[in-house]
């Protein structure tokens, strides 16, 4: 015997919420989005044209789709037809994939996601799920939505740009200068810009026009040297206009796009080629990607940002500057332990537990007994010299100043050995300020409290990357351009936060109240 069913039976579900479980994710999303104030959505209101879909409904639909690992606009549109939970969020409205795609890159979307994070952070703090006192920071690389072989390298651009300038100089001296009467001055020390080449092309066109007019006014029977000169001028004009000028413009646009980077992708110019962990070919191939930085507490993402540089060192300070709350404690791994980061955090009076590059190696027994450990050297304060454990003396010679890529000034004291030929190393370079910062950081990390807090980092921030990559399947960006990628990643991280049902207690209470209210109405 089987339970009877009939697909042709007409059913009228008056309330879709009755079909869904009480603790379904859509109720959490609906509550979080609806509690946002109307002022956050003013950028999406228009006083002209046909009425648009409400931005709260579109935002809720995007968050639910992202939480299910669905990022395509067409697949989100399909969910609105087939998925009951999505129909509950949209009020059974069907939105075109074009509208969905336009909405998630619309003006004001970045500010909306930022306000959504702030509102969720305050809600989590009220429910005592986070304290907003300690930030666990880490980064991961996400592959960009770009062709793998659309790379442009800065070294290659510099190389070919120099060759182009050499060709232009030679060509002007040998081909152009003998043909025209108007003098063209070229500076051999400065590179010739595309604007100058355009001006040169105009001069050549004027010379060609004068020559044509001269040939028409005073024709010559037989061989005419002016026609030979005209052919050469046309050839030179094509070379300047269609070759030199085009290549110069291309290299100039490349240099502007680099903006301090060593590479970029032609498909997505904001993406930089980075070394990814997902290397299926096992050949170290670089892929266009973005550096995603997140700050978490209790595995909730409180803040995030997207950067085009592959290293984490230069991302810490910009990430903290955009953090909407007061920063009290920062915990990060060795990729962030630069001199500039430690110094700036001390100046801002922010507590920090950040490993530096040599921290783990310094804790090993072999390094503590090694001659490479500066703590095993004897320092003479009067002579300002260091004595090697084997007896070689290194005396102070001069102070060297150098700047990092962020224009941070470093002061390094240089010591030279008395006997450079027989000494194990010729010189000794010591950054005293950095040594002091590292000693202070080491003391904090090895303290009982520091050990406990830093051990929490591995189980707080690292699992988030596994959740968005393995569980949600977000291993590659869906949009192009840094601004759009920031929106895309913000939706993914917010959806991952909501999957933990942070407001489950409040949502359950509201749901039960609504069900009881509906039952009273139908009983009456």
């Amino acid at each position: 015997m089987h339970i009877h069913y009939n697909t042709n039976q007409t059913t009228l579900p008056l309330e879709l919420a009755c079909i869904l479980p009480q603790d379904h994710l859509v109720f959490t999303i609906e509550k979080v989005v609806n509690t946002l104030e109307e002022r956050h959505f003013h950028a999406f209101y228009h006083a002209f044209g046909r009425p648009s879909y409400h931005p709260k409904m579109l935002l809720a639909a995007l968050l639910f789709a992202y939480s299910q690992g669905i990022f395509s606009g067409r697949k989100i549109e399909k969910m609105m037809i087939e998925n009951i939970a999505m129909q509950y969020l949209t009020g059974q409205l069907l939105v075109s994939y074009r509208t969905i795609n336009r909405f998630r890159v619309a003006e004001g979307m970045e500010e909306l996601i930022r306000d959504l994070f702030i509102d969720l952070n305050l809600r989590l703090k009220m429910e005592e799920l986070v304290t907003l006192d300690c930030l666990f920071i880490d980064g991961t690389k996400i592959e960009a939505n770009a062709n793998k072989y659309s790379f442009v390298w800065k070294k290659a651009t510099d190389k070919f740009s120099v060759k182009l300038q050499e060709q232009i100089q030679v060509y002007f001296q040998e081909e152009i200068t003998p043909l025209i009467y108007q003098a063209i001055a070229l500076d051999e020390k400065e590179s010739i810009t595309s604007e100058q080449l355009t001006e040169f092309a105009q001069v050549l066109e004027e010379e060609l026009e004068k020559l044509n007019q001269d040939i028409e006014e005073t024709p010559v029977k037989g061989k005419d040297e002016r026609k030979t000169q005209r052919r050469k001028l046309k050839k030179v004009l094509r070379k300047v206009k269609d070759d030199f000028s085009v290549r110069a413009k291309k290299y100039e646009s490349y240099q502007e796009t680099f903006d301090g980077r060593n590479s970029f992708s032609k498909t997505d110019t904001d993406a930089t080629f980075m070394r990814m962990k997902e290397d299926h070919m096992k050949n170290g191939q670089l892929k266009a990607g973005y550096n995603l930085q997140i700050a978490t507490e209790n595995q909730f993402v409180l803040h995030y940002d997207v950067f085009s540089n592959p290293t984490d060192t230069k991302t810490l300070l910009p990430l903290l500057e955009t953090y909407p709350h007061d920063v009290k404690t920062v915990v990060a791994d060795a990729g962030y332990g630069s001199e500039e980061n430690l110094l700036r955090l001390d100046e801002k009076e922010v507590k920090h537990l950040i490993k530096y590059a040599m921290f783990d190696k310094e804790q090993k027994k072999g390094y503590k007994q090694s001659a490479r450990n500066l703590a095993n050297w004897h320092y003479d304060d009067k002579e300002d010299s260091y004595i090697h454990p084997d007896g070689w003396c290194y005396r102070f010679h001069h102070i060297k100043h150098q700047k990092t890529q962020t224009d941070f000034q470093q002061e390094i004291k240089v010591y030279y050995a008395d006997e450079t030929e027989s000494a194990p190393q010729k010189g000794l370079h010591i950054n005293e300020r950095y040594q002091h910062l590292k000693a202070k950081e080491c003391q904090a990390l090895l303290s009982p409290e520091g050990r406990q807090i830093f051990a929490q980092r591995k189980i707080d921030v690292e699992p988030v990357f596994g959740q968005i990559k393995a569980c949600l399947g977000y291993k590659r960006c869906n949009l192009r351009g840094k601004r759009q990628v920031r929106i895309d990643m913000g939706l993914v991280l917010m959806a991952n936060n909501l999957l933990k049902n942070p407001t489950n207690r409040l949502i359950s209470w509201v749901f039960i109240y609504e069900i009881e209210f509906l039952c009273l109405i139908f009983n009456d």
Side-chain angles (χ1 to χ4, degrees):
M1 182 178 292
H2 303 284
I3 297 175
H4 176 72
Y5 78 98
N6 185 359
T7 57
N8 294 322
Q9 178 67 42
T10 302
T11 58
L12 298 173
L14 300 179
E15 181 59 50
L16 291 178
C18 301
I19 306 174
L20 301 173
Q22 295 181 9
D23 59 348
H24 199 280
L25 177 63
V26 291
F27 302 120
T28 302
I29 295 175
E30 182 187 29
K31 186 63 180 179
V32 170
V33 173
N34 287 340
T35 51
L36 283 175
E37 298 179 6
E38 291 295 328
R39 60 182 176 85
H40 299 309
F41 298 93
H42 286 168
F44 302 96
Y45 292 141
H46 303 286
F48 56 90
R50 68 182 296 272
S52 59
Y53 294 105
H54 201 288
K56 285 187 177 181
M57 182 269 286
L58 294 173
L59 178 61
L62 278 174
L63 289 173
F64 179 63
Y66 272 66
S67 69
Q68 305 305 303
I70 296 175
F71 314 111
S72 167
R74 294 177 184 270
K75 291 183 179 180
I76 295 174
E77 180 185 353
K78 187 179 179 181
M79 281 185 70
M80 294 180 179
I81 301 173
E82 302 174 351
N83 193 295
I84 295 177
M86 179 64 86
Q87 290 179 6
Y88 169 78
L89 279 179
T90 60
Q92 295 183 316
L93 291 174
L94 180 60
V95 184
S96 169
Y97 71 91
R98 294 186 180 89
T99 304
I100 296 170
N101 292 336
R102 282 197 295 264
F103 173 74
R104 63 177 164 181
V105 297
E107 292 294 332
M109 196 64 185
E110 276 185 293
E111 291 75 13
L112 178 59
I113 293 177
R114 185 190 65 231
D115 296 334
L116 188 61
F117 267 93
I118 295 173
D119 184 77
L120 183 65
N121 293 349
L122 298 176
R123 183 182 298 274
L124 292 172
K125 186 173 182 180
M126 290 173 61
E127 296 187 7
E128 298 182 355
L129 293 173
V130 298
T131 62
L132 301 181
D133 292 337
C134 186
L135 292 181
F136 298 91
I137 296 176
D138 203 357
T140 187
K141 297 178 181 64
I142 305 291
E143 186 178 351
N145 186 2
N147 194 309
K148 297 178 182 178
Y149 304 104
S150 59
F151 41 74
V152 178
W153 305 105
K154 190 173 189 305
K155 288 185 178 179
T157 302
D158 294 339
K159 174 183 175 182
F160 291 119
S161 180
V162 171
K163 285 186 176 181
L164 174 63
Q165 293 297 326
E166 293 175 354
Q167 292 177 7
I168 292 175
Q169 293 284 353
V170 173
Y171 198 81
F172 266 74
Q173 292 177 4
E174 296 181 356
E175 301 290 339
I176 298 179
T177 305
L179 289 175
I180 60 177
Y181 300 105
Q182 184 176 349
I184 298 179
L186 292 178
D187 191 348
E188 296 181 358
K189 295 182 180 179
E190 294 184 3
S191 59
I192 301 171
T193 63
S194 59
E195 294 180 357
Q196 289 178 310
L197 289 172
T198 303
E199 295 176 359
F200 298 158
Q202 292 177 356
V203 173
L204 291 171
E205 288 175 351
E206 292 175 0
E207 290 289 333
L208 186 60
E209 186 178 352
K210 291 179 181 178
L211 192 58
N212 285 332
Q213 186 177 0
D214 187 30
I215 293 174
E216 291 177 0
E217 292 177 354
T218 57
V220 176
K221 293 183 180 180
K223 186 177 181 180
D224 192 348
E225 295 294 336
R226 294 174 300 176
K227 293 183 179 180
T228 304
Q229 186 181 5
R230 182 172 62 182
R231 284 194 296 271
K232 290 182 179 179
L233 268 175
K234 288 181 178 179
K235 178 184 175 182
V236 168
L237 180 60
R238 284 193 299 269
K239 185 71 174 177
V240 173
K241 198 173 182 179
D242 300 336
D243 184 15
F244 290 157
S245 182
V246 173
R247 288 162 63 191
K249 284 182 181 178
K250 180 178 72 172
Y251 295 143
E252 287 172 4
S253 65
Y254 283 177
Q255 294 293 352
E256 291 178 1
T257 307
F258 283 125
D259 192 24
R261 298 177 293 163
N262 293 324
S263 64
F264 70 86
S265 170
K266 292 180 183 177
T267 314
D268 184 356
T269 55
D270 290 335
T272 307
F273 278 82
M274 309 175 183
R275 201 172 301 280
M276 303 286 181
K277 290 183 180 178
E278 295 84 5
D279 185 13
H280 305 292
M281 299 295 291
K282 305 297 182 183
N283 58 359
Q285 184 184 25
L286 300 178
K287 295 179 182 178
Y290 288 94
N291 189 353
L292 171 63
Q293 296 289 318
I294 63 173
T296 68
E297 186 183 356
N298 197 17
Q299 293 191 13
F300 287 102
V301 180
L302 305 179
H303 187 53
Y304 80 102
D305 205 347
V306 179
F307 298 90
S308 298
N309 50 296
T311 57
D312 295 334
T313 309
K314 297 185 291 184
T315 62
L316 179 62
L317 297 177
L319 177 69
L320 295 178
E321 286 177 0
T322 56
Y323 183 61
H325 312 290
D326 293 333
V327 182
K328 296 181 179 179
T329 305
V330 173
V331 183
D333 61 2
Y336 302 87
S338 66
E339 179 187 1
E340 181 181 8
N341 290 341
L342 298 179
L343 183 63
R344 295 291 180 255
L345 291 175
D346 284 343
E347 291 175 353
K348 296 178 181 179
E349 298 181 353
V350 176
K351 295 181 181 179
H352 49 85
L353 292 170
I354 303 176
K355 281 187 178 181
Y356 48 89
M358 292 287 292
F359 176 79
D360 290 329
K361 190 174 182 179
E362 289 177 358
Q363 310 314 312
K364 296 181 180 179
K365 184 178 179 181
Y367 181 80
K368 290 181 179 180
Q369 299 174 355
S370 173
R372 287 177 291 182
N373 186 0
L374 196 62
N376 296 328
W377 293 43
H378 174 70
Y379 177 67
D380 190 344
D381 191 12
K382 294 181 179 179
E383 296 185 3
D384 194 7
S385 62
Y386 283 88
I387 307 298
H388 191 273
D390 295 335
W392 283 283
C393 180
Y394 289 80
R395 302 182 187 278
F396 172 73
H397 188 268
H398 67 279
I399 295 178
K400 181 175 69 173
H401 294 88
Q402 63 182 22
K403 286 186 177 182
T404 62
Q405 293 181 349
T406 57
D407 290 334
F408 176 71
Q409 187 83 12
Q410 290 181 326
E411 185 179 282
I412 299 174
K413 297 182 73 173
V414 181
Y415 295 80
Y416 286 145
D418 291 342
E419 301 175 2
T420 55
E421 296 180 357
S422 58
Q425 59 189 62
K426 180 180 177 180
L428 186 65
H429 296 73
I430 297 177
N431 188 337
E432 291 184 347
R433 182 172 60 186
Y434 193 25
Q435 293 292 336
H436 172 71
L437 291 171
K438 289 194 293 184
K440 181 181 176 182
E441 201 69 25
C442 181
Q443 184 179 1
L445 288 166
L446 295 178
S447 65
E449 183 184 0
R451 288 176 183 269
Q452 182 181 1
I453 296 175
F454 195 82
Q456 182 71 19
R457 189 196 70 85
K458 297 179 182 179
I459 61 176
D460 198 295
V461 65
E462 297 288 356
V464 176
F465 296 134
Q467 291 161 9
I468 64 173
K469 287 185 176 181
C471 300
L472 298 182
Y474 187 79
K475 298 180 180 179
R476 192 170 188 262
C477 299
N478 306 294
L479 306 177
R480 294 175 180 174
K482 190 174 181 179
R483 174 187 170 274
Q484 287 84 343
V485 168
R486 188 180 286 111
I487 295 171
D488 191 37
M489 291 185 178
L491 291 170
V492 171
L493 296 172
M494 178 55 65
N496 187 63
N497 283 343
L498 296 175
L499 277 171
K500 300 176 175 61
N501 278 348
T503 57
N504 192 37
R505 288 176 293 177
L506 180 62
I507 296 302
S508 300
W509 181 83
V510 172
F511 180 85
I512 293 171
Y513 176 79
E514 289 179 351
I515 296 299
E516 290 178 352
F517 181 73
L518 289 172
C519 292
L520 288 173
I521 292 176
F522 286 114
N523 288 335
D524 292 340

